Amino acid sequence: MNSGAAQLSLDPSALTAFVASLSALPADEIRKAKSLFSRNAIADYRMSLKSLGIMGVLSIIPIFLIVSIPTFFSYRALKENGRQKILNALEVWRSDLGSAYEVLLSALDAI
């Protein structure tokens, strides 16, 4: 499962460290960095969902059914948790992101 990268990047301590590393930058650079961070989190989230979705294809083969049931539950949990973490970050950074907020929200909704 490749969900670790998406989950780790949105961990509160990782977000705090990321924001702290931006403190010396001008406002425009902070906005760009937060936008890039958010885009990368969305890309990681999309990749994680695809990875688990591919595992679900194995469920059509009876021998893999035992493996695919827990994978399905992991997929649902990842989808809910990952989406909520990205939404939380976007909401906290809404004023910093400016017009990019709506673009990022649309990208997340498209998944």
Side-chain angles (χ1 to χ4, degrees):
M1 229 181 313
N2 290 331
S3 62
Q7 297 303 314
L8 180 61
S9 68
L10 296 170
D11 182 76
S13 60
L15 285 175
T16 302
F18 171 72
V19 170
S21 72
L22 302 177
S23 62
L25 296 175
D28 188 50
E29 291 299 316
I30 291 172
R31 181 189 57 76
K32 288 178 185 177
K34 287 181 177 180
S35 178
L36 178 61
F37 187 92
S38 300
R39 290 176 197 279
N40 287 340
I42 291 170
D44 289 345
Y45 174 66
R46 183 180 296 122
M47 181 199 59
S48 296
L49 292 179
K50 284 183 180 180
S51 296
L52 285 172
I54 290 170
M55 291 292 294
V57 172
L58 293 176
S59 67
I60 60 172
I61 303 170
I63 192 128
F64 292 117
L65 189 58
I66 293 172
V67 174
S68 64
I69 291 172
T71 301
F72 174 72
F73 290 119
S74 294
Y75 176 83
R76 283 186 20 197
L78 172 71
K79 190 170 184 178
E80 293 169 17
N81 188 38
R83 178 178 170 74
Q84 189 59 52
K85 284 185 174 186
I86 293 170
L87 284 173
N88 292 345
L90 290 177
E91 191 59 37
V92 168
W93 294 342
R94 186 177 194 159
S95 61
D96 293 332
L97 292 171
S99 61
Y101 171 81
E102 295 298 330
V103 172
L104 293 166
L105 192 59
S106 296
L108 183 59
D109 287 341
I111 299 174

